[in-house]
Amino acid sequence: MKLRLTEVFASIRDAEDKADEPICAYVYDLKALRQHVTGLVNTLPDNCKLFYAIKANSDLPVLKTLAPLVNGFEVSSGGELDWVREHFADIPVVFSGPGKLDRELSSAIEYNVECLHIESFNELQRLAEIAQRVGQVAAILLRVNLPVDNLVKSSLIMGGKPTPFGIHIQQLKECLSWLRVHPEIQLRGFHFHLLSHQLNAQAHLKLLETYQLQVRQWCDEYDLNIDHVNVGGGIGINYRQPEQQFDWETFSTGLATLLDNDVLSGVDIRFELGRYITAACGYYVMQVIDIKHSYGKNFLIGRGGTHHFRTPYAQGHSHPFHVLPVHAWSHPYTRPKISNEKVSIVGQLCTPKDLLAFDAPVKSVCCGDLLVFPYAGAYAWNISHHDFLRHPYPMKWYLPVE
Ligand SMILES: Cc1ncc(COP(=O)(O)O)c(C=O)c1O
């Protein structure tokens, strides 16, 4: 995704000009988001459908920007389902996630969820009871925890090893036999979401090929007639080397070739991407309050912290950032400054875990300058512990689509 830094930085400078104390803020570039997703949709092969996993960022302006572009939303809780249906009466919704309550399964039927992604045999049987009770057929995919050789290393692995996600492959036969005598459940296909943070296009193609061959084998072995396979999300953002992002062009071209092999002809492929859709539209901003030197290390203390932006600490990386110099300095004493040094960026929390960047070289930074963290549009504000220490929430604004 192409970042529109000039426009984003101008809006941040404008907010800082108007503020009477150091700022912290989230900025979302909806125009860039629209351009990015339009590009993804236009380059996917025809029989591929793009859903957005709203857990990555379910802000209403973000969802409103995406709704006309994607094939639907993926939700993972009753709360997300209520939120989507409150604002989007008709958009296709699929429902994933472990530990669904009976109440959530009932709402899924009531709210016309297009397909439920079933996580266990127990969940399947509970859904069948509810479907029977209300006299409706519930469409499902079985989410399978597939053992995969040489699964790429990622800090977020949901399958191919012991995890609470999906149905163990050895239980599949039992589920499929049970489904034959339960017409209140319609099996539409299979679901896989084995990992997040995939940065390698070829490795992702290989994984999709593994899914394809496995599903073909199940269809033959169990005489199944399915209409789609959901290959989950998982395409990553390279926070450590932001100039080297997932090569979408190689991926989409390779995908067209892969699907041309007709191993699963007539079967659609669905993606439910989260991070790769919204990460790049968001920016977190901190203004430098203090600069310290402590036992050989430099610290920039910014307004805000991991209670707003937990992504770097949660993923264990040093987040990339830009320094926007601010020239105004209204105090009679020397302005703290650091040049050509490595710094750690921390926030206002009383814990050493409040760390956003470390060992990061800076040319020059002064108290009062602005630090802008890109790729803060997914799993950022919405995974953070906002009320820890009761600091105020950051400012928030959206650069419009038009
Ligand atoms: C079932 C499921 N689908 C999709 C996603 C979205 O993953 P990502 O944001 O890595 O694309 C997740 C994330 O945890 C998930 O659990």
Side-chain angles (χ1 to χ4, degrees):
M1 167 167 162
K2 203 170 161 308
L3 304 188
R4 298 187 323 132
L5 294 180
T6 310
E7 293 81 351
V8 172
F9 289 174
S11 79
I12 295 169
R13 287 195 176 286
D14 193 41
E16 195 277 330
D17 270 352
K18 291 178 185 142
D20 53 12
E21 60 176 8
I23 64 164
C24 55
Y26 266 103
V27 188
Y28 299 97
D29 185 354
L30 299 180
K31 185 169 179 176
L33 176 62
R34 188 176 68 174
Q35 285 169 352
H36 172 55
V37 176
T38 305
L40 301 185
V41 171
N42 289 345
T43 47
L44 275 175
D46 285 346
N47 55 340
C48 291
K49 306 280 179 270
L50 182 62
F51 282 65
Y52 171 56
I54 77 160
K55 63 175 79 65
N57 182 337
S58 55
D59 274 14
L60 204 48
V62 167
L63 296 186
K64 282 187 171 163
T65 306
L66 292 174
L69 305 174
V70 295
N71 293 97
F73 290 147
E74 182 263 355
V75 300
S76 284
S77 73
E80 287 190 343
L81 178 57
D82 288 346
W83 179 243
V84 167
R85 275 294 174 250
E86 188 183 328
H87 300 285
F88 306 88
D90 301 319
I91 195 162
V93 175
V94 296
F95 190 175
S96 310
K100 296 181 197 76
L101 301 171
D102 284 0
R103 172 166 54 75
E104 294 174 316
L105 296 171
S106 299
S107 301
I109 295 179
E110 196 182 316
Y111 277 144
N112 215 5
V113 159
E114 203 214 276
C115 199
L116 278 129
H117 302 162
I118 294 300
E119 290 272 344
S120 71
F121 191 25
N122 168 296
E123 189 172 279
L124 184 58
Q125 293 172 94
R126 286 193 290 122
L127 178 65
E129 266 183 11
I130 294 165
Q132 269 176 8
R133 198 161 55 236
V134 297
Q136 285 199 39
V137 173
I140 64 147
L141 301 184
L142 293 177
R143 178 177 182 179
V144 183
N145 181 349
L146 197 65
V148 175
D149 288 339
N150 304 322
L151 195 61
V152 283
K153 290 198 170 42
S154 153
S155 55
L156 276 182
I157 299 275
M158 283 84 166
K161 63 170 198 174
T163 73
F165 308 111
I167 295 167
H168 191 279
I169 193 159
Q170 281 169 0
Q171 239 194 339
L172 188 61
K173 192 172 176 186
E174 186 185 4
C175 291
L176 292 172
S177 313
W178 182 93
L179 280 167
R180 283 190 198 293
V181 289
H182 285 272
E184 67 279 19
I185 304 286
Q186 180 204 3
L187 177 69
R188 291 188 59 187
F190 295 94
H191 177 277
F192 306 99
H193 176 75
L194 293 193
L195 81 167
S196 282
H197 297 307
Q198 174 68 272
L199 293 174
N200 183 322
Q202 293 298 353
H204 210 51
L205 287 167
K206 193 85 204 130
L207 188 62
L208 266 46
E209 187 183 15
T210 305
Y211 297 160
Q212 198 190 39
L213 294 171
Q214 178 63 81
V215 171
R216 176 74 269 150
Q217 192 204 316
W218 287 334
C219 288
D220 294 343
E221 193 177 336
Y222 299 107
D223 192 23
L224 304 174
N225 187 11
I226 62 166
D227 64 42
H228 74 275
V229 175
N230 188 316
V231 295
I235 296 182
I237 289 290
N238 196 343
Y239 300 107
R240 290 177 171 84
Q241 291 164 293
E243 60 297 334
Q244 283 178 38
Q245 294 299 346
F246 183 86
D247 184 349
W248 180 265
E249 199 182 325
T250 297
F251 178 69
S252 52
T253 324
L255 186 61
T257 311
L258 176 66
L259 299 181
D260 268 352
N261 67 11
D262 273 349
V263 167
L264 286 177
S265 60
V267 172
D268 279 350
I269 303 296
R270 282 188 184 176
F271 291 86
E272 47 184 38
L273 301 180
R275 189 181 309 270
Y276 192 65
I277 290 190
T278 42
C281 80
Y283 299 79
Y284 181 58
V285 184
M286 297 173 111
Q287 195 156 9
V288 179
I289 301 171
D290 212 343
I291 299 181
K292 287 193 187 176
H293 187 81
S294 175
Y295 295 98
K297 297 255 182 210
N298 300 301
F299 292 89
L300 306 183
I301 299 168
R303 173 147 191 201
T306 51
H307 53 308
H308 298 164
F309 183 40
R310 203 169 70 88
T311 319
Y313 198 79
Q315 301 306 331
H317 64 253
S318 172
H319 208 90
F321 62 93
H322 303 268
V323 178
L324 296 193
V326 171
H327 299 296
W329 178 254
S330 56
H331 304 289
Y333 43 84
T334 310
R335 186 174 183 184
K337 174 175 177 168
I338 202 163
S339 300
N340 299 315
E341 294 270 9
K342 286 191 171 166
V343 297
S344 292
I345 301 181
V346 302
Q348 297 171 285
L349 302 184
C350 314
T351 161
K353 296 184 176 178
D354 189 19
L355 183 63
L356 290 84
F358 47 87
D359 290 333
V362 286
K363 267 208 185 102
S364 170
V365 61
C366 298
C367 267
D369 285 350
L370 293 154
L371 306 172
V372 184
F373 297 86
Y375 300 105
Y379 306 106
W381 170 248
N382 62 341
I383 62 154
S384 304
H385 42 297
H386 309 147
D387 291 327
F388 183 44
L389 259 74
R390 299 211 168 270
H391 285 294
Y393 289 2
M395 299 159 81
K396 191 198 242 190
W397 65 87
Y398 299 86
L399 300 191
V401 169
E402 295 305 341

